[in-house]
Amino acid sequence: MQRISTRNARFQQFQTLLTNRTKRGRAREFIVQGVRPITMAVEHGWTIRSLLYDASRPLSRWAEELMRGITTERIAMAPDLLAELSERAEGAPEVLAVVGMAPDDLTRIPVRDDFLGLAFDRPTQPGNIGSIIRSADALGAHGLIVTGHAADPYDPKAVRATTGSFFALPVVRTPSHHEVAQWLDAERAQGRPVLVVGTDEDGECDASEFDLTQPVLLLIGNETAGLSNAWRDRCDHVISIPMTGSASSLNASNAASIVLYEARRQRVAKGRG
């Protein structure tokens, strides 16, 4: 067990995991807070590299069981420093976990006959990534791919927005659409005919009119620019969400949730039939 009571070099290393994407990526680790997210990380087999806890108060039963159940580095930390790492204005959390990143390997995403995946093209808002992960987990998707020059899924805002779903759903980053295209070609060669289905206001049909019970990879475009031309060229189909009123578009995470719900609705109805 270690103790940290000042903003020493080790504390500053933890701070960089929150604020510096490059150093976070180099260290291949990130900070997680909250009972449910930490519990989910443990249950789903993520590597817990360190547990940071409030040295000034007795631990709850949950925290004691967490400490006993994991063999890892334990660091007793001053509450004001723990609060600083949690980015909370008031009060320190009981425990923070430093968790190792998962590999950016597309084979982590299982492709079966009922495959339902998402690719988010160059997202700029970490919160949108987190919201989509949460919806994807809730509505039965098998994984999310974040492509291109994009916000980081391991950003604290993204991880917090998932409320723990980050650890249940495979999330993979790729530099561009090329890696995804190669992965899809390999899956198709194995007899898994995954359709690439884009979402756009000028789609060929409404989402409710398209058969989403097939194995599909749904594409969600950048919040401002939509899908890139490269992704449009890869689409087998493009569908739209019907809208009324004065809104010209939907938030990316809202659009993803609507199409995921429609896919779930169709699949449940087909199962009942």
Side-chain angles (χ1 to χ4, degrees), residues 29-203:
E29 60 187 23
F30 61 111
I31 291 179
V32 179
Q33 63 175 293
V35 173
R36 177 174 170 77
I38 293 173
T39 300
M40 292 279 282
V42 173
E43 288 180 352
H44 287 275
W46 289 64
T47 301
I48 311 299
R49 294 188 177 173
S50 304
L51 289 172
L52 320 179
Y53 66 96
D54 187 344
S56 69
R57 58 177 173 173
L59 295 176
S60 67
R61 179 179 296 179
W62 167 78
E64 286 182 349
E65 290 177 354
L66 177 70
M67 295 287 184
R68 285 198 301 267
I70 300 174
T71 302
T72 192
E73 178 185 49
R74 295 168 176 78
I75 299 177
M77 188 170 285
D80 59 323
L81 299 182
L82 203 61
E84 195 171 328
L85 290 178
S86 71
E87 300 182 308
R88 287 164 56 165
E90 295 183 4
E94 186 176 29
V95 177
L96 295 176
V98 180
V99 181
M101 292 182 180
D104 286 310
D105 184 348
L106 287 166
T107 61
R108 289 178 55 223
I109 300 176
V111 180
R112 301 186 291 262
D113 291 341
D114 64 345
F115 176 68
L116 177 62
L118 293 103
F120 198 171
D121 179 28
R122 299 163 297 137
T124 60
Q125 301 297 323
N128 277 338
I129 297 175
S131 295
I132 287 179
I133 292 170
R134 187 175 179 180
S135 294
D137 181 30
L139 294 167
H142 299 108
L144 170 70
I145 306 165
V146 177
T147 69
H149 183 68
D152 185 9
Y154 291 95
D155 185 287
K157 295 184 181 67
V159 176
R160 282 197 297 268
T162 73
T163 64
S165 289
F166 187 88
F167 303 102
L169 185 86
V171 179
V172 178
R173 301 170 293 182
T174 66
S176 70
H177 68 286
H178 293 294
E179 295 79 13
V180 184
Q182 293 170 2
W183 170 66
L184 286 174
D185 288 344
E187 292 294 340
R188 287 167 174 167
Q190 294 294 320
R192 305 179 186 97
V194 179
L195 290 176
V196 178
V197 179
T199 53
D200 187 85
E201 59 186 15
D202 296 321

